[in-house]
Amino acid sequence: MTGKKSAAPTPIFLFDLDGTLIDSVYQHVLAWREALDTLGVELSNWKIHRRIGMSGGLIIHAFTRDTGRKLVAAEAEKLQELHGEAYGRRQKEVHLLPGAKELLAGLDKANVRWAIATSGKRDKAQFALDMLGVGANVPVVTRDEVEHAKPAPDLFLAAAKKVGVDLADCVVIGDSVWDLLAARRARALGVGLLSGGYGEDELIQAGAYRVYADPADLLAHLDEIGVRVG
Amino acid sequence: MTGKKSAAPTPIFLFDLDGTLIDSVYQHVLAWREALDTLGVELSNWKIHRRIGMSGGLIIHAFTRDTGRKLVAAEAEKLQELHGEAYGRRQKEVHLLPGAKELLAGLDKANVRWAIATSGKRDKAQFALDMLGVGANVPVVTRDEVEHAKPAPDLFLAAAKKVGVDLADCVVIGDSVWDLLAARRARALGVGLLSGGYGEDELIQAGAYRVYADPADLLAHLDEIGVRVG
């Protein structure tokens, strides 16, 4: 269906994972903080927070600009490894966001197709997918499968391709400005959730078509995105 | 000097502590999350984040509204105790915010008086004051010393009283909307810092006169608040 210009009667939902369906952003922040500590790099938590949702590689690139400290390739790799370990230790504290399962079930019930596109790597994503009860039949794209992560549109493009639809017929749901920027680059509608800890205006300024509190709030307002429920 | 109406040629600075001078907000969020987990109360991290800076008692009041679960007095007390323990374990991970010490030293050098007013209790505040190298000569007001914490103006009123000035001659520096609302209730100017993780618009909407990134950024712009430096 590539190149198709029609607006589907019902949009297809492409979900981010961390901060959008699972409540993991604050654990990721402190996991990066712990990793940076190990290498003696000073960076404030709120600045780390604003980078979550990018790929690890881009985060580190942003960190080097923020701190003015150039990391050699081996250090950058070590940092990603340390973050992965530190997050792994915190993963068991992570909860689902309110309404996450119910939202996905509601879309299924309304015959709305959906997929997941995350900047996280497959092993970390699998833990979240298991929490969500997402089966092998659901199209999922992780960092490992694309060349560039958000804010590049690759992850969402790959997800739309897996569903077999044009990205312009999709709605991207995410908690970070990187999701929304990726959506705009791909000409998809972006819907923001506050559940990652960004302020509403930050999401609107990044191009969110609508902003909801969390998955439960989105579920209660699906009609506003063009989904007939019930 | 109570009741004095003059605008001092140079304002007196009243600082919040967590998220304003030390980078502790994200640790507080996960400490509350851990405490709530123990009591089986579900609440998302971003909603906890938006409550940091209130007194523990008010936070719990807000939590009960957010979760719809009424806590009996013994549970509320237990929750505060569990949060205190969980934060205590994370305290060693807490860093100073960039420029915190330099900002306080810069004010001293410019003969600008300043004080600290925190919704935290004395024992937790002391750890931060030691990190900052704040001596016994600096006026500090903690939660234990006033009846109502932020957004009530009591903490800042008590701090101004300790300095011996009128609150209307003070500038309140804080990272949360609760600091800024307390400043407005007390007719003081409020200056917001992004270092607690709120978005800029949230702080401006709460009445911030100016918003800076962190203490280092404020230090670089002290002239905008009416302080002659150097």
Side-chain angles (χ1 to χ4, degrees):
Chain A
M1 299 209 192
T2 313
K4 189 164 146 277
K5 291 284 174 199
S6 73
T10 299
I12 290 89
F13 282 57
L14 304 183
F15 288 99
D16 168 57
L17 194 50
D18 291 290
T20 298
L21 294 171
I22 65 164
D23 196 7
S24 55
V25 168
Y26 291 75
Q27 281 84 3
H28 272 298
V29 170
L30 290 184
W32 278 113
R33 176 67 264 152
E34 194 181 325
L36 290 163
D37 261 354
T38 306
L39 295 193
V41 181
E42 272 293 333
L43 188 62
S44 306
N45 288 319
W46 73 280
K47 287 196 174 175
I48 299 174
H49 185 182
R50 265 38 186 191
R51 302 296 177 190
I52 303 293
M54 293 176 141
S55 72
L58 277 184
I59 286 184
I60 289 171
H61 191 266
F63 287 174
T64 59
R65 185 180 56 232
D66 287 341
T67 61
R69 177 168 156 182
K70 184 91 188 127
L71 295 170
V72 298
E75 282 178 311
E77 203 176 304
K78 183 71 184 164
L79 202 55
Q80 292 218 46
E81 191 188 312
L82 288 167
H83 164 261
E85 289 167 11
Y87 180 73
R89 282 191 297 277
R90 294 161 195 267
Q91 204 163 231
K92 63 181 182 304
E93 304 162 13
V94 171
H95 292 228
L96 290 176
L97 281 162
K101 276 187 170 180
E102 295 78 0
L103 172 60
L104 301 179
L107 292 175
D108 283 341
K109 201 176 158 199
N111 290 313
V112 175
R113 283 175 294 173
W114 54 274
I116 290 174
T118 171
S119 293
K121 293 195 176 159
R122 186 76 208 188
D123 58 333
K124 294 290 180 298
Q126 194 55 53
F127 188 90
L129 297 172
D130 290 345
M131 282 175 70
L132 284 161
V134 165
N137 58 321
V138 172
V140 174
V141 184
T142 61
R143 179 67 187 94
D144 325 73
E145 297 170 52
V146 293
E147 191 173 353
H148 301 106
K150 305 165 197 171
D154 303 25
L155 279 160
F156 293 122
L157 284 167
K161 200 174 170 190
K162 276 199 185 179
V163 180
V165 293
D166 199 282
L167 191 41
D169 290 334
C170 296
V171 178
V172 162
I173 318 286
D175 69 297
S176 80
V177 301
W178 316 116
D179 295 309
L180 298 167
L181 296 178
R184 288 172 74 186
R185 283 190 59 188
R187 312 282 184 276
L189 222 53
V191 168
L193 298 187
L194 297 174
S195 40
Y198 275 86
E200 183 165 3
D201 287 285
E202 294 175 89
L203 299 179
I204 291 171
Q205 280 166 26
Y209 160 73
R210 290 289 285 164
V211 175
Y212 300 99
D214 52 25
D217 190 33
L218 172 57
L219 175 60
H221 295 89
L222 276 179
D223 54 300
E224 296 182 354
I225 318 294
V227 176
R228 285 168 194 274
V229 206
Chain B
M1 299 208 195
T2 312
K4 186 164 149 278
K5 291 283 174 202
S6 73
T10 299
I12 291 89
F13 281 59
L14 304 184
F15 288 99
D16 167 58
L17 194 50
D18 291 291
T20 298
L21 294 171
I22 65 165
D23 196 7
S24 55
V25 169
Y26 291 75
Q27 281 84 3
H28 273 297
V29 170
L30 290 185
W32 279 113
R33 177 66 263 153
E34 194 181 325
L36 290 163
D37 260 354
T38 306
L39 295 192
V41 181
E42 272 293 333
L43 188 63
S44 305
N45 288 319
W46 73 280
K47 286 196 175 175
I48 300 174
H49 185 181
R50 265 38 187 191
R51 302 296 177 190
I52 304 293
M54 293 176 142
S55 72
L58 277 184
I59 287 184
I60 289 172
H61 192 268
F63 287 173
T64 59
R65 186 180 55 231
D66 287 341
T67 61
R69 176 167 155 181
K70 184 93 187 124
L71 295 170
V72 298
E75 282 178 311
E77 204 175 303
K78 183 70 185 166
L79 202 54
Q80 291 217 47
E81 191 188 312
L82 289 167
H83 164 261
E85 288 167 11
Y87 180 73
R89 282 192 296 277
R90 294 162 194 268
Q91 204 163 231
K92 63 181 184 303
E93 304 162 13
V94 171
H95 293 228
L96 290 175
L97 281 163
K101 276 187 169 180
E102 294 78 1
L103 172 60
L104 301 179
L107 292 175
D108 283 341
K109 201 175 158 198
N111 290 315
V112 175
R113 284 175 292 173
W114 54 274
I116 290 174
T118 172
S119 293
K121 293 195 175 158
R122 186 76 208 187
D123 59 333
K124 292 290 179 301
Q126 193 56 52
F127 188 91
L129 297 172
D130 291 345
M131 281 175 69
L132 283 161
V134 165
N137 58 322
V138 172
V140 174
V141 184
T142 61
R143 178 68 187 93
D144 326 72
E145 296 171 53
V146 294
E147 192 174 352
H148 302 107
K150 304 165 197 170
D154 304 26
L155 278 160
F156 292 122
L157 283 166
K161 200 174 168 190
K162 276 199 185 181
V163 180
V165 293
D166 197 282
L167 191 40
D169 290 333
C170 296
V171 178
V172 163
I173 318 286
D175 69 297
S176 80
V177 301
W178 316 115
D179 296 308
L180 298 167
L181 295 179
R184 287 171 74 185
R185 283 189 59 187
R187 313 282 183 275
L189 221 54
V191 168
L193 299 187
L194 298 174
S195 40
Y198 275 86
E200 183 164 4
D201 287 286
E202 294 175 89
L203 300 178
I204 290 171
Q205 280 166 25
Y209 161 73
R210 290 289 285 165
V211 175
Y212 300 99
D214 53 25
D217 189 32
L218 172 57
L219 175 59
H221 295 87
L222 276 178
D223 55 300
E224 297 182 353
I225 318 294
V227 175
R228 286 168 192 275
V229 206

